[in-house]
Amino acid sequence: MPLHVPPAPAPALRTILTALGSPTAVREARTPALRTAQGPATPELPLPVHVLDRITPAGTPTTRLTGWRFLIRCGDRAVAAAETTLTPDGWAFSHFFEGPYIASTERALRQAETMKQPYQARLLSVPELYMLTLWLHGDITADAAEGHPAATDLLVPLAPAPPGIAAHRPHRVAELLPVLTHRVTPAPLLSSPA
């Protein structure tokens, strides 16, 4: 199997299982599909969620781990996702959600399974562009909570992707990063005539 899904920290998984076992947490979640799901709901495919904070002048992206995301499966399909966040007291349940990123994540993971090179699966969020990508990291033995995208890693934009960036098309970091940098960097202000 070329795709390696890193194990989530045990406390992060426990918070998700506790939330799934709480009728209040599930009932109050803004996820109709989870509230009406028949049968047991199980968390699967834990993915570390990194946020692209900035791109250095040398072109190196600076990222930080913000949580772990689990797809919540009921029967034969994922109906929602659950996310944890790291607090000063350890891992805590953050929220349940649903929407287009659930199916898009599953599609990107299936697509990654067909690649010949092994990759470690992660998620990379670019908040300034409202963009989420499946980050396929080339070092499958790396600590999933650390590191930054290497030039040869792949980023697979999830749908919906920003205008002009094709969803589900793998891009090398070295190719997509300049596009993201250009879009995130504010345009210089024009000086007014004196």
Side-chain angles (χ1 to χ4, degrees):
M1 176 163 103
L3 188 63
H4 296 268
V5 176
L13 176 58
R14 277 194 300 272
T15 67
I16 299 298
L17 292 171
T18 300
L20 282 170
S22 165
T24 304
V26 171
R27 188 173 47 252
E28 292 179 3
R30 295 183 180 170
T31 52
L34 184 59
R35 286 195 310 263
T36 60
Q38 301 295 317
T42 55
E44 296 182 352
L45 297 169
L47 296 171
V49 180
H50 294 260
V51 171
L52 180 67
D53 280 330
R54 62 185 173 85
I55 300 168
T56 66
T60 305
T62 302
T63 62
R64 62 185 163 82
L65 178 72
T66 59
W68 283 79
R69 181 172 295 175
F70 297 76
L71 294 180
I72 306 300
R73 185 166 300 283
C74 289
D76 63 347
R77 67 184 188 99
V79 297
E83 202 158 300
T84 63
T85 187
L86 188 58
T87 70
D89 295 325
W91 290 102
F93 170 73
S94 176
H95 62 283
F96 291 116
F97 64 95
E98 61 184 66
Y101 285 134
I102 308 301
S104 186
T105 300
E106 283 190 306
R107 177 179 170 187
L109 289 168
R110 282 192 308 271
Q111 183 180 358
E113 282 284 346
T114 65
M115 296 180 179
K116 295 184 192 300
Q117 180 179 337
Y119 288 103
Q120 183 187 83
R122 303 174 176 195
L123 292 173
L124 181 65
S125 173
V126 185
E128 292 88 352
L129 298 177
Y130 299 100
M131 180 178 181
L132 185 64
T133 69
L134 178 63
W135 168 13
L136 299 173
H137 189 54
D139 183 357
I140 61 171
T141 62
D143 181 347
E146 297 180 3
H148 59 274
T152 56
D153 287 354
L154 295 179
L155 297 177
V156 182
L158 301 180
I165 297 176
H168 297 288
R169 181 173 166 250
H171 301 270
R172 294 236 177 259
V173 168
E175 297 164 358
L176 187 57
L177 198 59
V179 173
L180 300 181
T181 303
H182 178 71
R183 289 192 176 195
V184 170
T185 305
L189 297 174
L190 298 175
S191 59
S192 58

